[in-house]
């Protein structure tokens, strides 16, 4: 079950809190009737996503952080005075620092894609990572993606 969450702000500056969008995904080994409540995992593609969504996580939840986007400028843009990956503020969570952008670009290096085009696939890389982490089969996801992007 999925639930997109797009901000009400029109053309909010990229990397700022008003511009944060999210997509909630609920998967299980049984029928799912609702997207769910508090997420067990947050994939923070950038500091703004972390700051905007951290309050929804229960203690002990997992956070996958795209470390490629946690630059000083990006942290300052959303009001972090220190890097939350280093200042101890995430101690109540299981944090997995992953260079998602770098890994996605490397995974697609054999295709004729620009870096910008390859970077657009990092959400699918993250989905694959979650499928692997939680031992979820990917066959139905692959069938869906092949049909959705057949053209």
């Amino acid at each position: 079950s999925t639930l997109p969450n797009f901000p009400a702000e029109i053309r909010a500056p990229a990397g700022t809190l008003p511009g944060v969008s999210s997509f909630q995904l609920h998967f299980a080994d049984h029928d799912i009737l609702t997207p769910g409540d508090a997420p067990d995992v947050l994939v923070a593609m950038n500091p703004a996503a972390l700051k905007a969504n951290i309050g929804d996580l229960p203690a002990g939840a997992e956070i996958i952080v795209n470390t490629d986007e946690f630059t000083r400028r990006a942290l300052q843009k959303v009001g972090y005075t220190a890097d939350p990956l280093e200042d101890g503020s995430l101690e109540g969570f299981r944090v997995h620092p992953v260079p998602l952008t770098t890994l996605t670009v490397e995974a697609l290096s054999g295709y004729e894609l620009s870096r910008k085009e390859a970077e657009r696939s990092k959400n699918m890389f993250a989905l694959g990572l979650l499928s692997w982490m939680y031992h979820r089969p990917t066959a139905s996801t692959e069938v869906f993606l092949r049909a959705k992007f057949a053209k």
Side-chain angles (χ1 to χ4, degrees), residues 105-123:
V105 170
E106 287 176 9
L108 295 172
S109 66
Y111 298 90
E112 294 183 16
L113 297 171
S114 69
R115 180 175 176 87
K116 187 174 184 177
E117 290 170 328
E119 286 180 10
R120 288 188 193 131
S121 299
K122 66 184 169 221
N123 59 344

Side-chain angles (χ1 to χ4, degrees), residues 13-95:
T16 63
L17 290 179
V20 172
S21 64
S22 63
F23 198 87
Q24 187 173 341
L25 169 70
H26 185 170
F27 61 86
D29 62 356
H30 56 277
D31 286 344
I32 298 168
L33 305 175
T34 174
D37 296 318
D40 296 313
V41 180
L42 170 64
V43 179
M45 292 293 191
N46 54 48
L50 177 65
K51 192 163 197 173
N53 295 290
I54 190 99
D56 295 335
L57 296 175
E62 301 206 42
I63 303 173
I64 298 169
V65 177
N66 181 9
T67 56
D68 291 324
E69 299 297 326
F70 274 65
T71 63
R72 187 169 38 140
R73 183 171 186 265
L75 291 164
Q76 290 173 342
K77 197 183 271 191
V78 293
Y80 280 119
T81 56
D83 187 340
L85 302 178
E86 298 172 357
D87 70 2
S89 63
L90 300 177
E91 284 182 8
F93 303 99
R94 293 184 309 235
V95 180

